Amino acid sequence: MLVLSRQRDESIVIGDNVVVTIVDIRRDKVRLGIEAPHEIPVHRREVYEAIQRENRRASQLEPADTQRLEPRDPADRSLPQP
């Protein structure tokens, strides 16, 4: 693990297109600003782990488990396309 020291308003660059800036420091909390392209997901670790757990759970569904789901209306553009 690379450990860096930064002060407020200082940044680090990851690769060519991710910038992490120290926005604020208060007591034991550090606020970070993260600039990254939309195609790079950025999550807090606990959110990322929850997403991974849910993805694993969903991947283990049997076809019979989805029978109760209502069919998707293809005209409804608010839902992501498969």
Side-chain angles (χ1 to χ4, degrees), residues 3-79:
V3 178
L4 301 171
S5 297
R6 299 280 72 200
Q7 295 181 11
R8 184 176 298 139
D9 297 325
E10 292 184 336
S11 301
I12 61 170
V13 177
I14 302 171
D16 292 329
N17 53 8
V18 177
V19 178
V20 180
T21 303
I22 306 303
V23 174
D24 195 19
I25 304 169
R26 292 186 186 171
R27 296 184 189 172
D28 62 342
K29 295 215 182 215
V30 177
R31 294 184 68 200
L32 303 174
I34 302 169
E35 296 176 50
H38 291 289
E39 62 270 12
I40 298 178
V42 178
H43 302 287
R44 295 187 325 259
R45 173 173 269 173
E46 62 273 18
V47 171
Y48 174 79
E49 290 171 353
I51 292 169
Q52 295 300 310
R53 277 192 308 274
E54 184 60 27
N55 286 345
R56 279 192 299 278
R57 190 178 75 75
S59 71
Q60 295 169 354
L61 289 175
E62 297 294 330
D65 296 333
T66 62
Q67 295 303 315
R68 297 177 303 193
L69 299 176
E70 294 182 24
R72 192 177 132 245
D73 179 0
D76 185 353
R77 299 290 179 199
S78 65
L79 298 173

